[in-house]
Amino acid sequence: MSDSAVSVPSGTLPRAVVDLLGLLAYAELGGFFRLSADAELAPSLTDRMELAGLAATEYEHFTRLRDRLADAGEDTAAAMAPFVGAFDAWHERTRPQSWLESLVKAYVGDGIAADFYRQVAELVDPETRELVNAVLTETGRADFVIGKVRAAVDVDRAVAGRLALWARRLVGEALSEAQRVATERRELALLLAARDDESGTGEELADLGRLFARITETNAERIKALGLTV
Amino acid sequence: MSDSAVSVPSGTLPRAVVDLLGLLAYAELGGFFRLSADAELAPSLTDRMELAGLAATEYEHFTRLRDRLADAGEDTAAAMAPFVGAFDAWHERTRPQSWLESLVKAYVGDGIAADFYRQVAELVDPETRELVNAVLTETGRADFVIGKVRAAVDVDRAVAGRLALWARRLVGEALSEAQRVATERRELALLLAARDDESGTGEELADLGRLFARITETNAERIKALGLTV
């Protein structure tokens, strides 16, 4: 059950919002599995505990999105299905080869998720917005990463260059998958571009391009906070 | 912070109880990582979601044990360290090769944990007992496994024999690791054998043998519930 005060009868969520919730749900579930697996790279038990904690938070977020879908009479697995390929492909193409790479991935992924949640909160109904904001207040937990990466970079400046490239690749691959999803899920793209018209002019893709550019910029700031040059 | 009404000042937990909490904490943390990894074997997104849920519960249990240790001024990683080798060895030797094997492992592991929690609840101080009982009421979640395994066994009886062997191996390997831990951690062994004497007669190992025999018996019952012959 969701914490929403008002219950939503079956079938009342627009297709685009179901898509959005399905996308976010699989982002969290996939993130949960990936962070859990990456924890094998941790150099100490304490680090493994911290990464497990991040993973568990992603699972918690997943359950909120799942419950919201269930309350609206939607099947979570069906809602997630269109996005599994894109997220799995992203994780497949960005398998960390070291503990530092996995930390940067957790941090960048968490940051992109926060940007995205912030963006969509403006575009949805009040109940979905409440859910999105609740999840948003709990992101940014990857901030513990900053200290660890800065410490490693201080010891070896060559690490900074490699990790900066890695962080850029993470975002680049994410946006390339996002682009693919946007062309395949037109209603979702229209929602994200904040456009009501179904005129088929394709301008929502240009708007989405601007959204992606903003996410890239925010990410560049975030990478600077890690002490990495971009 | 734990939910305990009474706070425990630093250093007040007997060594054996710190050992016990460290052992349980790593059992949960290691279980969390293992279940998350095994979810890759799941045939459907719904099955992955269910296994992720089991893993998340293990993490939740871990946090309670961690908080209890922290409240008593103990370092969680240090308390877990003596048991990492045994649990990792168990997981290493019992890597599921199929979805059904991973389900049976989740179920058997959950069952052994429940038996063990039930046993130790009798042997510890009231606060630790409260914690152990709270965790215990949330085990048994692996019961969803029963339906899935029974369905598979109904379709192919040969599966039953193979899974029964697998379940026995899981318990056998677990007890062999437990035996090793018991010989290495004498205070813990004395606690588990419910013996106060430090006389060095070694009788606690015989008592422990009886405890292990009881766990084996309970497990045999549990395997029968899966529709597997033992």
Side-chain angles (χ1 to χ4, degrees):
Chain A
M1 293 293 295
S2 89
D3 292 334
S4 319
V6 190
S7 72
V8 182
S10 175
T12 55
L13 288 179
R15 189 70 243 155
V17 174
V18 174
D19 266 7
L20 180 64
L21 293 171
L23 179 153
L24 295 175
Y26 193 70
E28 300 284 2
L29 187 66
F32 164 81
F33 284 119
R34 192 42 47 203
L35 284 174
S36 307
D38 290 350
E40 303 231 348
L41 298 166
S44 77
L45 209 44
T46 306
D47 288 321
R48 290 189 81 190
M49 282 159 53
E50 292 203 60
L51 217 55
L54 285 186
T57 304
E58 303 234 352
Y59 181 78
E60 220 289 292
H61 293 166
F62 161 74
T63 62
R64 288 170 185 243
L65 296 153
R66 176 197 67 193
D67 292 349
R68 169 77 177 144
L69 284 162
D71 286 352
E74 299 287 343
D75 180 73
T76 312
M80 294 195 298
F83 310 105
V84 169
F87 280 103
D88 285 359
W90 184 66
H91 284 300
E92 194 54 49
R93 281 190 209 137
T94 59
R95 279 191 188 268
Q97 299 299 314
S98 70
W99 169 238
L100 285 173
E101 284 191 2
S102 75
L103 284 181
V104 170
K105 182 171 173 181
Y107 175 82
V108 166
D110 193 69
I112 297 176
D115 289 344
F116 194 78
Y117 277 117
R118 216 169 278 126
Q119 171 80 15
V120 303
E122 303 305 311
L123 307 172
V124 291
D125 60 282
E127 276 185 275
T128 306
R129 182 180 309 136
E130 193 186 313
L131 167 70
V132 165
N133 282 330
V135 170
L136 190 52
T137 58
E138 289 161 16
T139 55
R141 285 199 47 213
D143 279 355
F144 83 92
V145 166
I146 296 180
K148 289 180 192 285
V149 174
R150 275 184 175 276
V153 165
D154 284 348
V155 172
D156 181 0
R157 285 301 304 170
V159 167
R162 281 201 302 276
L163 288 179
L165 278 178
W166 169 245
R168 289 173 72 168
R169 216 185 103 212
L170 288 168
V171 179
E173 296 278 2
L175 293 182
S176 130
E177 291 300 330
Q179 199 71 52
R180 190 152 70 85
V181 167
T183 51
E184 282 168 10
R185 309 296 289 185
R186 186 132 193 286
E187 287 175 13
L188 178 61
L190 283 166
L191 170 69
L192 291 177
R195 285 188 178 263
D196 290 328
D197 71 288
E198 299 272 350
S199 56
T201 57
E203 288 190 24
E204 76 277 5
L205 291 180
D207 287 340
L208 271 187
R210 282 185 281 277
L211 163 61
F212 292 164
R214 278 201 302 282
I215 289 180
T216 310
E217 280 166 31
T218 323
N219 192 64
E221 291 304 316
R222 220 174 273 122
I223 294 171
K224 269 186 206 151
L226 284 181
L228 309 179
T229 39
V230 279
Chain B
M1 294 294 295
S2 88
D3 294 334
S4 318
V6 190
S7 72
V8 182
S10 175
T12 55
L13 288 180
R15 190 69 242 154
V17 174
V18 173
D19 265 8
L20 179 65
L21 292 171
L23 180 153
L24 295 175
Y26 193 72
E28 300 284 2
L29 187 66
F32 164 81
F33 285 120
R34 192 42 46 203
L35 284 174
S36 307
D38 291 350
E40 303 231 347
L41 299 165
S44 77
L45 209 44
T46 305
D47 288 320
R48 290 189 81 191
M49 282 158 53
E50 291 203 62
L51 216 55
L54 285 187
T57 303
E58 302 232 355
Y59 181 78
E60 220 286 296
H61 293 168
F62 161 74
T63 63
R64 289 170 184 242
L65 296 153
R66 176 197 66 194
D67 292 349
R68 169 78 177 145
L69 283 162
D71 286 352
E74 298 287 343
D75 181 74
T76 312
M80 295 194 297
F83 310 105
V84 169
F87 281 104
D88 285 359
W90 184 65
H91 284 302
E92 195 54 50
R93 283 191 206 136
T94 58
R95 278 191 188 269
Q97 300 299 314
S98 69
W99 169 238
L100 284 173
E101 284 191 3
S102 75
L103 284 181
V104 170
K105 183 171 173 181
Y107 175 83
V108 167
D110 193 69
I112 296 177
D115 288 344
F116 195 76
Y117 278 117
R118 215 169 279 126
Q119 171 79 16
V120 302
E122 305 305 311
L123 307 172
V124 291
D125 60 282
E127 278 185 272
T128 305
R129 183 179 309 135
E130 194 186 314
L131 168 70
V132 164
N133 282 330
V135 169
L136 190 54
T137 58
E138 289 161 15
T139 56
R141 285 198 48 212
D143 279 355
F144 83 92
V145 165
I146 296 179
K148 289 180 193 283
V149 174
R150 276 185 174 273
V153 165
D154 283 347
V155 171
D156 181 359
R157 286 300 305 171
V159 167
R162 282 202 301 277
L163 289 179
L165 277 178
W166 169 245
R168 288 174 73 168
R169 215 183 105 212
L170 289 168
V171 179
E173 296 278 2
L175 293 183
S176 132
E177 291 300 330
Q179 198 71 51
R180 190 151 70 85
V181 167
T183 51
E184 281 167 10
R185 308 296 289 184
R186 183 132 195 286
E187 287 176 13
L188 178 61
L190 284 167
L191 171 68
L192 291 177
R195 285 189 178 263
D196 290 328
D197 71 287
E198 299 270 353
S199 55
T201 56
E203 287 189 24
E204 76 277 6
L205 291 180
D207 287 340
L208 271 186
R210 282 185 281 277
L211 164 60
F212 293 165
R214 278 201 303 282
I215 289 180
T216 310
E217 279 166 32
T218 323
N219 193 62
E221 292 303 315
R222 222 175 270 123
I223 295 171
K224 270 187 204 149
L226 284 180
L228 310 179
T229 39
V230 279

